[in-house]
């Protein structure tokens, strides 16, 4: 149904959930990474930046300023 592998699809779902958490909750990036299934925040950060084009810090601050 999609051109993506199952692993890629799961990663996208995890990262989308993490993006919601970065906007809505005041948790550390490492905590969010763990909650969405990453063993370490380094691989999480790398995958997040690849998916969204921003670091988690920039993404988080962008969301906070947009909602103010």
């Amino acid at each position: 149904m999609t051109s993506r592998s199952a692993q890629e699809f799961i990663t996208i779902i995890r990262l989308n959930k993490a993006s919601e958490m970065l906007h809505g909750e005041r948790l550390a990036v490492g905590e969010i990474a763990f909650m969405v299934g990453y063993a370490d925040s380094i691989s999480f950060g790398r995958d997040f930046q690849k998916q969204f084009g921003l670091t988690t810090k920039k993404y988080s601050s962008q969301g906070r300023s947009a909602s103010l």
Side-chain angles (χ1 to χ4, degrees):
M1 291 195 173
T2 72
S3 61
R4 300 180 193 274
S5 70
Q7 183 60 42
E8 289 173 320
F9 188 68
I10 291 168
T11 298
I12 290 169
I13 291 171
R14 286 177 169 172
L15 292 172
N16 285 334
K17 179 62 178 174
S19 73
E20 292 172 16
M21 295 172 83
L22 281 167
H23 282 302
E25 300 182 31
R26 300 233 182 242
L27 298 170
V29 172
E31 290 176 296
I32 292 172
F34 180 75
M35 291 172 81
V36 297
Y38 279 82
D40 65 272
S41 59
I42 293 172
S43 58
F44 169 71
R46 182 184 60 241
D47 287 351
F48 191 92
Q49 188 166 6
K50 183 178 174 185
Q51 177 71 25
F52 294 102
L54 296 168
T55 64
T56 55
K57 185 174 182 173
K58 286 183 181 179
Y59 188 90
S60 178
S61 65
Q62 229 182 30
R64 286 200 212 343
S65 63
S67 64
L68 292 176

